[in-house]
């Protein structure tokens, strides 16, 4: 795509905002015009404009505060959306290369979504202007596609969500840009660790598992590899609503609630910063979030369904994939029992 005007940074002279130091990514406006969705595409409630649909949106919002047990029909609806989202992510990832702008990738995601009779879920969600989130280098999440060309040595996270006939499917992955990035050991370790944290958390999901266990698995693994877990952004329930309960924390916290049940559908999407700094910085566009120190960030995400004996990865490459997690969950429970027993012994020794 040829920019319609010379790219400029709208935040260069902002009164209170400063990019993190050192910064490799800055906004490159103007943003291209909002993509026009064909009338034939079924839209989510937030993308419709009528009083009735506004009321339906709020009804859905309040209902989404409880963890939804999805019917078999709803599970199949998310399964289809998730499969299509995976296809579009893979096509978008194939376009990642030095010199390509994130706006060009956004156009690919939009066009491929429409081809599949899908609405790109981010478009218009609370005012988000694009069809995909493109987070480059130190950007943690929600990066807005713009006129910045990717550079050899960058890394980029592509976060794709599609809405297909009433259901959302959501996933993301982080990719190296060009040979320099592939030769950058720290960047490749960061990308690999984000995926390993996701896989480790998926491996202990199943009926009866507290959602709090996800953060208890991810945080120590991430820190053992020299990464910090972003705390302000989480996974979430997903189905008919884009974001719903439960809130899926990726770090240890007492705020996590809920027990996994058959029929729960949710995402796990750990965001990791290179180093020990987990805090984030919000840009004036009210969407883009970066690290506070300019360190790189990477993430990985899948949409998951809790089933008997384990979990189904709905967004898995090649189609949904079932994992029997009974052995992993039993092993984790045994470790927890041993730790509790050791703690009880220590406490009794202290009393004596």
């Amino acid at each position: 795509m040829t920019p319609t005007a010379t790219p400029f940074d709208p935040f260069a002279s902002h009164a209170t905002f400063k990019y993190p130091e050192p910064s490799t990514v800055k906004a490159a406006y103007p943003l291209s015009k909002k993509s026009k969705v064909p009338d034939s595409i079924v839209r989510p409630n937030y993308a419709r404009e009528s009083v009735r649909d506004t009321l339906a949106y709020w009804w859905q919002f309040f209902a989404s505060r409880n963890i939804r047990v999805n019917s078999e029909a709803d599970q199949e609806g998310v399964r289809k959306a998730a499969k299509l989202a995976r296809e579009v992510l893979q096509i978008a990832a194939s376009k990642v290369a030095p010199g390509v702008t994130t706006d060009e990738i956004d156009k690919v995601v939009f066009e491929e979504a429409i081809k599949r009779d899908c609405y790109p879920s981010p478009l218009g969600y609370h005012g988000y202007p694009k069809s995909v989130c493109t987070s480059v280098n130190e950007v943690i999440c929600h990066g807005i596609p713009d006129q910045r060309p990717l550079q050899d040595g960058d890394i980029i996270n592509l976060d794709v969500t599609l809405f297909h006939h009433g259901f959302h499917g959501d996933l993301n992955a982080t990719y190296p840009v060009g040979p320099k990035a592939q030769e950058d050991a720290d960047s490749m370790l960061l990308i690999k660790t984000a995926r390993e944290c996701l896989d480790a958390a998926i491996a202990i999901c199943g009926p009866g598992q507290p959602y709090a266990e996800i953060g208890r698995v991810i945080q120590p693994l991430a820190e053992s590899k020299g990464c910090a877990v972003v705390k302000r952004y989480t996974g979430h329930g997903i189905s008919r609503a884009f974001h719903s309960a439960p809130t899926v924390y990726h770090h240890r916290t007492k705020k996590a609630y809920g027990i996994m049940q058959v029929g729960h559908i949710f995402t796990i999407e750990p965001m990791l910063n290179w180093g020990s700094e987990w805090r984030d910085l919000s840009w004036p566009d009210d969407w883009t979030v970066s690290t506070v120190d300019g360190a790189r960030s990477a993430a990985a995400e899948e949409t998951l369904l809790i089933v008997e004996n384990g979990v189904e990865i709905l967004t898995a490459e090649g189609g949904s994939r079932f994992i029997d997690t009974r052995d992993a969950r039993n092993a984790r429970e045994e470790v927890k029992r041993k730790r509790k027993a050791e703690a009880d012994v220590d406490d009794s020794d202290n009393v004596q």
Side-chain angles (χ1 to χ4, degrees):
M1 170 186 164
T2 302
T4 57
T6 302
F8 66 94
D9 178 5
F11 313 131
S13 301
H14 196 276
T16 59
F17 172 76
K18 290 184 178 180
Y19 290 102
E21 293 292 344
S23 177
T24 65
V25 180
K26 296 180 180 179
Y29 281 40
L31 300 181
S32 59
K33 291 183 179 179
K34 183 178 177 180
S35 299
K36 180 173 175 55
V37 180
D39 293 339
S40 60
I41 300 295
V42 177
R43 291 159 167 76
N45 287 330
Y46 56 80
R48 302 174 189 172
E49 295 179 358
S50 74
V51 172
R52 184 185 68 179
D53 291 327
T54 299
L55 292 173
Y57 168 79
W58 284 109
W59 175 260
Q60 188 180 78
F61 172 81
F62 289 121
S64 73
R65 298 307 90 191
N66 297 316
I67 303 177
R68 177 185 178 87
V69 176
N70 292 268
S71 67
E72 289 187 7
D74 286 359
Q75 292 173 30
E76 184 56 33
V78 180
R79 188 177 288 111
K80 179 63 174 178
K83 178 179 182 292
L84 296 173
R86 168 59 70 175
E87 291 177 5
V88 172
L89 174 63
Q90 290 177 309
I91 293 170
S94 73
K95 307 300 181 183
V96 169
V100 175
T101 67
T102 49
D103 189 68
E104 289 174 300
I105 294 174
D106 177 76
K107 291 290 189 291
V108 170
V109 169
F110 178 82
E111 291 168 3
E112 294 298 330
I114 299 305
K115 285 180 185 178
R116 289 163 175 78
D117 196 24
C118 292
Y119 182 94
S121 300
L123 186 62
Y125 184 71
H126 293 293
Y128 188 79
K130 295 295 180 178
S131 299
V132 64
C133 295
T134 54
S135 302
V136 179
N137 295 348
E138 66 266 21
V139 176
I140 296 170
C141 60
H142 305 158
I144 297 175
D146 62 13
Q147 306 299 337
R148 180 189 184 275
L150 295 174
Q151 301 173 16
D152 189 3
D154 286 345
I155 62 173
I156 181 171
N157 179 272
L158 302 178
D159 193 343
V160 172
T161 312
L162 298 187
F163 182 77
H164 179 73
H165 291 206
F167 300 93
H168 299 270
D170 187 6
L171 77 163
N172 75 53
T174 307
Y175 304 92
V177 181
K180 287 185 180 178
Q182 296 176 25
E183 295 166 1
D184 181 345
D186 289 349
S187 290
M188 295 307 293
L189 178 59
L190 175 64
I191 293 171
K192 180 181 178 183
T193 301
R195 184 68 224 191
E196 287 178 348
C197 286
L198 173 58
D199 289 339
I202 292 172
I204 57 90
C205 288
Q209 184 74 278
Y211 281 98
E213 284 300 297
I214 291 171
R216 293 174 188 147
V217 168
I218 290 174
Q219 185 171 354
L221 177 55
E223 292 176 350
S224 74
K225 300 296 181 70
C227 302
V229 180
V230 175
K231 296 182 179 180
R232 194 150 67 99
Y233 295 91
T234 66
H236 52 89
I238 187 169
S239 177
R240 292 182 179 272
F242 191 172
H243 295 91
S244 61
T247 299
V248 180
Y249 294 95
H250 305 118
H251 65 285
R252 297 189 192 96
T253 176
K254 294 181 179 179
K255 293 188 292 183
Y257 71 93
I259 304 295
M260 298 176 195
Q261 297 181 37
V262 172
H264 284 186
I265 300 178
F266 58 94
T267 71
I268 301 177
E269 46 188 300
M271 289 156 254
L272 307 185
N273 298 341
W274 186 247
S276 59
E277 179 57 82
W278 57 265
R279 291 177 300 165
D280 57 82
L281 173 69
S282 294
W283 289 20
D285 59 23
D286 293 327
W287 282 107
T288 308
V289 178
S290 69
T291 58
V292 297
D293 57 0
R296 290 192 165 189
S297 188
E301 177 186 19
E302 303 278 12
T303 294
L304 309 167
L305 164 65
I306 298 301
V307 295
E308 292 288 350
N309 301 328
V311 61
E312 183 180 345
I313 307 174
L314 300 179
T315 43
E317 188 171 349
S320 64
R321 177 162 54 92
F322 167 72
I323 300 177
D324 188 327
T325 62
R326 283 176 292 181
D327 289 346
R329 284 181 283 138
N330 289 337
R332 186 160 182 82
E333 284 303 312
E334 183 60 28
V335 170
K336 288 164 63 178
R337 280 193 292 269
K338 288 181 179 179
R339 288 177 178 170
K340 185 177 186 306
E342 291 170 357
D344 290 342
V345 170
D346 290 341
D347 286 344
S348 63
D349 289 343
N350 291 333
V351 170
Q352 293 175 1

